[in-house]
Amino acid sequence: GNSVTQMEGPVTLSEEAFLTINCTYTATGYPSLFWYVQYPGEGLQLLLKATKADDKGSNKGFEATYRKETTSFHLEKGSVQVSDSAVYFCALSDRGSSNTGKLIFGQGTTLQVKP
Amino acid sequence: SAVISQKPSRDICQRGTSLTIQCQVDSQVTMMFWYRQQPGQSLTLIATANQGSEATYESGFVIDKFPISRPNLTFSTLTVSNMSPEDSSIYLCSVGQGSYEQYFGPGTRLTVT
């Protein structure tokens, strides 16, 4: 079945450091891929998305490229800020024959950025 | 994107009681979903709320425990029945839009004592 695997956290970085959070997936067909962010005490916000191979999603300085050959969708940011501290979830959509629109989430990666 | 609200935002309930969570969307949407996020965990889909028909439940979730209503295209409720401490979680509703993305409500934080 479809699944998403994220690197384990927590990830602790100093402000202005480079961020990479790894995400790989297993899926039949051609899923859409997403990164969601959950700030402390809040719900999930869609950070970025990519709908087909080689697409690059970007938002708020974050980027991720849909790599079909490596089944990956790694999240990157060149210079993190304290305000980026949150939990980041990688997810894929179920776009199989049932086309249910379900999202399958990775386990989440906690990012803590220190001043 | 749609604006989604949930009520209540949090509650503390006693074992054996039930709680109904409301989800309201500011526009008509076809697909609505209910998720559970246990403490420190990822999200698990409970069910898809279908307008005008019964909800579609995921493996491990049953209608008797989590009855869902979807009376129209902007509103849904999830009831957590006969609660136990293991039901302490954040419950989130979401709506499907666009290229299969979903937008989430702020969540309902439930603590069962």
Side-chain angles (χ1 to χ4, degrees), chain A residues 5-112:
Chain A
T5 302
Q6 291 179 234
M7 63 186 288
E8 288 194 17
V11 174
T12 302
L13 296 173
S14 297
E15 207 164 22
E16 299 184 2
F18 185 86
L19 169 70
T20 300
I21 300 178
N22 290 338
C23 171
T24 58
Y25 67 91
T26 302
T28 55
Y30 304 95
S32 292
L33 300 174
F34 308 94
W35 278 100
Y36 283 86
V37 58
Q38 186 175 36
Y39 297 102
E42 299 185 12
L44 268 71
Q45 298 178 23
L46 178 63
L47 181 59
L48 54 84
K49 66 179 181 183
T51 59
K52 61 183 186 297
D54 299 325
D55 266 2
K56 177 185 283 188
S58 61
N59 186 26
K60 299 181 180 180
F62 291 90
E63 293 183 341
T65 301
Y66 190 141
R67 301 285 189 201
K68 190 170 184 294
E69 63 276 12
T70 55
T71 62
S72 65
F73 193 55
H74 305 321
L75 182 68
E76 297 181 335
K77 186 175 185 183
S79 176
V80 295
Q81 305 300 313
V82 172
S83 57
D84 293 326
S85 299
V87 182
Y88 292 81
F89 293 94
C90 184
L92 67 79
S93 67
D94 178 357
R95 294 174 60 183
S97 58
S98 60
N99 197 22
T100 63
K102 295 191 302 185
L103 286 181
I104 296 168
F105 285 88
Q107 63 268 44
T109 302
T110 299
L111 170 65
Q112 183 178 15

Side-chain angles (χ1 to χ4, degrees), chain B residues 36-89:
Chain B
R36 181 175 73 182
Q37 185 179 22
Q38 294 178 302
Q41 302 297 314
S42 186
L43 281 76
T44 302
L45 181 63
I46 298 172
T48 302
N50 305 309
Q51 195 268 331
S53 64
E54 281 195 2
T56 305
Y57 288 84
E58 297 299 301
S59 175
F61 297 96
V62 295
I63 188 171
D64 290 347
K65 175 68 175 177
F66 297 102
I68 288 171
S69 77
R70 178 88 193 271
N72 56 52
L73 292 175
T74 64
F75 186 78
S76 178
T77 66
L78 168 75
T79 299
V80 186
S81 303
N82 188 24
M83 288 184 284
S84 67
E86 292 71 34
D87 294 320
S88 297
S89 296

